[in-house]
Amino acid sequence: IKSQDTRFRVLIVGATGLLGRHMLAVFGSEWNVQGVALSRSAPQVLQCDAASEGMSVHFHRFCPDLVVHCASAPRGETDPVRLQKGTVAPARNVAQLAAQWKVW
């Protein structure tokens, strides 16, 4: 559901991590930016597990033109199950949604 804002819309996944915070700052200066993260720490960041079905709600509401995926398991994580849950599953879900919505 697009708003009246005609700027390029960027959805940043993993927006509270090291890379995601920088992407919010870079894209946020001139583009319409919405962040999504497992934990919320900024006004323009919504809380959502990127591996969950809730991500489709954010795609529907925000209608991004571009998705920047920065979500990953915490640095130093070595447990294969946690790596799958924190890195692989979110990336797969976001990629599938981006393809479905025809988003870069």
Side-chain angles (χ1 to χ4, degrees):
I1 305 170
K2 288 205 176 194
S3 67
Q4 298 298 324
D5 191 336
T6 59
R7 294 178 297 163
F8 201 74
R9 303 169 71 80
V10 181
L11 179 65
I12 300 175
V13 182
T16 58
L18 179 64
L19 180 59
R21 288 192 311 266
H22 289 288
M23 294 295 101
L24 277 175
V26 168
F27 286 107
S29 61
E30 295 186 31
W31 297 1
N32 186 353
V33 175
Q34 177 67 65
V36 176
L38 197 54
S39 61
R40 185 176 183 273
S41 68
Q44 72 269 36
V45 177
L46 302 173
Q47 186 174 4
C48 184
D49 180 348
S52 75
E53 291 184 22
M55 280 301 298
S56 64
V57 173
H58 296 299
F59 272 78
H60 177 72
R61 288 186 180 160
F62 189 61
C63 300
D65 298 299
L66 173 69
V67 175
V68 178
H69 181 70
C70 303
S72 69
R75 180 177 40 184
E77 182 60 69
T78 59
D79 179 63
V81 173
R82 289 183 184 160
L83 286 169
Q84 164 69 26
K85 184 179 179 187
T87 303
V88 177
R92 180 181 296 124
N93 190 42
V94 170
Q96 288 172 341
L97 287 166
Q100 176 185 339
W101 284 84
K102 296 177 177 45
V103 176
W104 286 89

